[in-house]
Every structure is written in C-alpha cells, then in structure tokens.
Amino acid sequence: MNKHARQSLFRCAALALLAVLCLAACAKREWPIPVASEDKFRWRSVDVQRNQGCIILNCELTGNWENVDAVKVLLEPIGEGPDDGCAKCPFAPRTTLSFDLGSAGMRKDMNRIAITACGLDPAKTYRLQLIGFNVFARIAPVASELVLSAPK
C-alpha cells in the first residue's frame, strides 16, 4: 500500500470513530426518577393554636423536607349541626384548604411550616389533618396524624 492510500484509510477510520462517538453522545436521556427513600418527607409534629376564626398550625418535618411543594388542610367541624361530624366517628373532612409555597397563609422556614387557616367558626371544635405533597409527583402524598382543635 502506498503512502497516500494509508493516509486515506487512516482518515476514513478516524471519521468512522468520530461518527460513532457523536452518535453515542446523542443517546436517549430521561428525567431523573425520584427515590422514595431519599426524597420523602414526613410530619414530625403538628401543633395547633386558635385565634378567633383562625387555626394556626406550626409544623415540623423530617426527611427530605426541602421537597415539600404544597399542603392541604382537611377540616371537619365537630358538633350537633347538620353539617358537623362526631368526635367518635371516622374522620370525614367537610372542607379542604390548599396552600402552595407562595401562598399568603403558608410560611416555610427550613424544616418548619406555619399555616394560618381563617374563616372558621370560632365556637366550633375541628378535627384536622395535613396532607403534604412532594415536588416529585411520583411520590405519594404524606398525611399527618389527626389533630383536634377546640375553641379557646
């Protein structure tokens, strides 16, 4: 083989290798898949205070608390009224309030969340539960324990 033929063969081989490397760089890419054991959070504590027709919830989270995206507050009034539940019956929320990180009624400071839910009857007792939603939609929402809030 002469010198010119060898150079041509070398160039073709180099171009073929370059084409293979370029195609490998164009491989299919996917969004990262959340790992529940690493990306989940849970409610450590939920403390309730009452102020007139408002319930103030001071919550502490554990786990990957940075992944909290939104919180729903499920409320059930307890009493003798036609729309009220009973204290010994299974929890049946009558009202759901939604809070996103930018909502006026929700403040987040590190692993603590403060939620103020107003417009409630100050004379009623409420059972409530918080549902926390993760930024990763594939991870199931996390429910708090049921909390009872009696009027002052």
Side-chain angles (χ1 to χ4, degrees):
M1 226 184 222
N2 65 19
K3 181 178 177 183
H4 185 40
R6 271 188 263 141
Q7 284 179 343
S8 243
L9 184 62
F10 178 73
R11 284 185 189 142
C12 285
L15 285 174
L17 180 61
L18 183 62
V20 168
L21 290 175
C22 286
L23 287 175
C26 295
K28 179 181 175 188
R29 298 186 192 247
E30 295 180 8
W31 288 102
I33 295 173
V35 179
S37 62
E38 296 172 9
D39 295 319
K40 273 184 10 181
F41 61 85
R42 64 180 179 82
W43 301 100
R44 176 178 282 168
S45 64
V46 176
D47 296 321
V48 182
Q49 297 174 351
R50 295 286 289 264
N51 185 8
Q52 307 278 333
C54 297
I55 292 178
I56 300 148
L57 304 162
N58 292 303
C59 314
E60 186 178 358
L61 299 165
T62 64
N64 203 335
W65 48 265
E66 294 170 332
N67 287 344
V68 173
D69 185 43
V71 176
K72 288 189 178 186
V73 179
L74 309 179
L75 295 158
E76 177 187 30
I78 303 298
E80 301 298 322
D83 249 5
D84 294 345
C86 69
K88 295 185 181 185
C89 300
F91 181 59
R94 308 300 201 270
T95 306
T96 301
L97 304 174
S98 298
F99 297 89
D100 295 323
L101 286 180
S103 297
M106 181 172 157
R107 264 184 318 115
K108 184 176 174 204
D109 183 23
M110 301 293 285
N111 69 327
R112 296 187 179 277
I113 293 177
I115 295 174
T116 303
C118 293
L120 305 174
D121 185 342
K124 289 223 182 237
T125 296
Y126 287 90
R127 280 197 297 184
L128 60 98
Q129 185 174 45
L130 300 173
I131 308 293
F133 293 86
N134 202 300
V135 294
F136 297 110
R138 289 184 177 197
I139 295 180
V142 180
S144 72
E145 296 290 323
L146 282 177
V147 181
L148 190 66
S149 175
K152 283 186 169 184

